[in-house]
């Protein structure tokens, strides 16, 4: 079986992807500095604690483990934090990716699946959003992903690096059977914060109800993390079979409002969510929904666990595990 290096494999999406890879028989090695990820989220024998900036360790792993392809998650992901600490984001996300790419080039590994984001599109007025929509990031986080996407484009053209860039919409859900779920610190994402409001009784603030949407709250495309993980596997297979570089949105194509998610959480958990309406959060686009036709057609991927009730049921089971 092919041998895959996963950077940031102890994080939320990374750990679910590592689990799926191993379940499907791929040999998988993780490099994670554990600044955000959790060692317990990956099998101990697969984990190398280290940084993507450590070129010699990376080259040693890429060569020593005879790695065929890399899945690159390691990055900072908080939009709000990126506006407060842009330099740290550009350094970690852009320079870190360049360090990894340099080690890959040195080791002769030329296949990469890159973790990108819907944030590369920014506040655009298109829905659903196809991949050929122009870049217009609304924050430094999105810009870091645009920059790496551009680097990958040119390394494909000039240096023979084949890459698939996956632009995630709203990752959510969990794999409670595998003991995996969302554990960000601080948590900024809607579904875990709705659970927290139930469990603590402290109301969650809904950021704005005056958007130009049917119920006034923002619309997002929520994709189960296991469906997202499977998109990485489809992308890897494509590259390992000699496929060319490409870019794909990963979402369901269905938009759901914040109030609809709240109502579904109440329905699935049988508990009321204490909440208040607050002002808009800076930088939040009104509507972000993926056109994921390309991924379905080109790689045969389709979401199988991304109904809102399945997402919430899995996430709630993980949240309330013993
Ligand atoms: N929201 C609230 N209250 C909260 C938290 C979130 O009302 O306490 C709302 C947000 O305003 C937004 C929706 O819930 O309308 C979803 O918010 P999340 O923070 O869960 O997710 P985002 O859509 O802001 O961010 C996601 C990814 C980012 C990515 C972005 C692309 O988490 O990494 O999509 O725009 F950059």
């Amino acid at each position: 079986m092919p041998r895959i290096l996963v950077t940031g494999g102890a994080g939320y999406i990374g750990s679910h992807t590592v689990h799926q890879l191993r379940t499907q028989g791929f040999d998988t090695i993780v490099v994670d500095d554990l600044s955000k990820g959790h060692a317990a989220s990956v099998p101990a024998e697969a984990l190398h604690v280290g940084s993507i900036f450590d070129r010699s360790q990376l080259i040693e792993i890429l060569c020593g483990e005879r790695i065929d392809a890399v899945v690159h998650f390691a990055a900072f992901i908080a939009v709000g934090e990126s506006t407060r600490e842009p330099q740290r984001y550009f350094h970690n996300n852009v320079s870190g990716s360049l360090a990894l790419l340099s080690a890959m080039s040195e080791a002769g590994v030329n296949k990469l699946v890159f973790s990108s984001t819907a944030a590369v599109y920014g506040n655009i007025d298109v829905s659903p959003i196809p991949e050929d929509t122009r870049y217009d990031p609304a924050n430094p986080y999105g810009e870091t992903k645009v920059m790496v996407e551009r680097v990958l484009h040119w390394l494909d053209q000039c240096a023979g690096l084949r890459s698939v860039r996956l632009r995630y919409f709203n990752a959510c859900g969990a794999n409670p059977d595998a003991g995996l779920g969302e554990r960000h610190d601080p948590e900024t994402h809607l579904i875990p914060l709705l659970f927290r409001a139930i469990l603590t009784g402290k109301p969650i603030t809904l950021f704005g109800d005056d958007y130009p949407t049917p119920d006034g709250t923002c619309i997002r495309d929520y994709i189960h993390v296991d469906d997202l993980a499977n998109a990485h596997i489809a992308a890897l297979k494509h590259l390992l079979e000699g496929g060319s570089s490409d870019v794909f949105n990963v979402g369901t194509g269905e938009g759901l409002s914040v109030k609809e998610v709240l109502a579904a959480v109440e329905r699935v958990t049988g508990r009321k969510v204490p909440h208040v309406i607050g002002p808009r959060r800076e930088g939040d686009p009104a509507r972000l929904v993926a056109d994921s036709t390309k991924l379905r057609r080109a790689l045969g991927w389709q979401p199988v666990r991304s109904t809102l009730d399945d997402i919430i049921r899995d996430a709630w089971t993980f949240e309330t595990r013993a």
Side-chain angles (χ1 to χ4, degrees), residues 117 119 141 170 188-190 205-207 218 220 281 284 288:
T117 171
Y141 166 69
N170 285 62
T188 60
H189 292 108
L190 178 63
T205 301
L206 307 191
F207 297 138
C218 288
R220 294 287 180 275
R281 184 171 66 179
D284 268 350
L288 274 177

Side-chain angles (χ1 to χ4, degrees), residues 75-90:
F76 293 153
I77 60 152
V79 170
E81 188 180 63
S82 80
T83 64
R84 294 188 295 277
E85 302 177 63
Q87 197 127 12
R88 209 161 71 84
Y89 269 68
F90 286 109

Side-chain angles (χ1 to χ4, degrees), residues 229-242:
N230 279 325
H232 293 78
I233 295 176
L236 270 174
K237 287 180 177 163
H238 166 80
L239 291 174
L240 291 164
E241 285 161 8

Side-chain angles (χ1 to χ4, degrees), residues 13 76-79 116-122 139 141-142 145 168-172 182 184 187-194 204-208 211 217-222 256-259 261 276 278-281 283-286 288:
I13 304 171
F76 293 153
I77 60 152
V79 170
S116 189
T117 171
V120 301
Y121 300 119
N139 49 63
Y141 166 69
K145 295 292 181 174
Y168 316 150
F169 282 66
N170 285 62
C172 49
E182 201 163 1
H184 294 118
E187 189 53 78
T188 60
H189 292 108
L190 178 63
I191 293 173
L193 291 177
L194 291 167
I204 179 175
T205 301
L206 307 191
F207 297 138
Y211 284 93
T217 61
C218 288
I219 290 180
R220 294 287 180 275
D221 183 333
Y222 293 89
L256 295 161
S257 75
V258 172
K259 283 187 179 166
V261 176
V276 294
R280 292 182 178 193
R281 184 171 66 179
D284 268 350
L288 274 177

